[in-house]
Amino acid sequence: MNIAIFYGTETGNAEMLADDLSTALDEAHETSVSNLSDTAPDALRTADLNIILCSSYGDGDLPASAQPFADRLEAQSPDLSGVRFAIFGLGDREYHATFGSGSMKLADSLIRRGATLIGERVVHDAARGDLPEDMALPWAEDIIAGFHPN
């Protein structure tokens, strides 16, 4: 299966996670990794499944590298019907009012444009002390196991 992994990051954690996830999935699938800042909305049409890894920043805002993509979504308002994506957030529950809001905002924007969310949006809590990949890899494997390309 062709899986595109996109990341939105402020400090580099989502980028490292994207690389780790790609390495883990690469044996069984064709994977690619891209920064959302360099991604046009129509690029989500090229893969069977898009996995998006997105942190939150500030008061639950999108991180710097996801904001240009979100701006393009807003300006172009593309019809993303047929695009299927899963989204994994990175956050810190110490900021309980905005925990995981960046990935939620991005998911909502994609859904408003017709994209289909596959599986549940999960958010890793940095305050727990475990590694994001310990949560993301089983999550991605579950998404892929239940996914049926068109």
Side-chain angles (χ1 to χ4, degrees), residues 49 51 85-86 118-120 138-148:
L49 175 64
I51 295 178
F85 75 99
I118 306 298
E120 290 186 43
W139 167 83
E141 289 172 339
D142 286 348
I143 296 286
I144 292 166
F147 182 75
H148 305 287

Side-chain angles (χ1 to χ4, degrees), residues 49-69:
L49 175 64
N50 299 285
I51 295 178
I52 300 171
L53 310 171
C54 185
S55 62
S56 295
Y57 184 73
D59 291 327
D61 296 321
L62 290 172
S65 78
Q67 192 59 57
F69 177 78

Side-chain angles (χ1 to χ4, degrees), residues 1 6-7 12-13 19 27 52 61 64 77 94 96-97 105 119 123 130 134 143 146:
M1 177 174 14
F6 298 96
Y7 65 88
N13 290 335
D19 289 338
E27 189 171 311
I52 300 171
D61 296 321
S77 197
E94 289 183 21
H96 63 277
K105 288 175 182 177
V123 181
D130 60 342
D134 293 340
I143 296 286

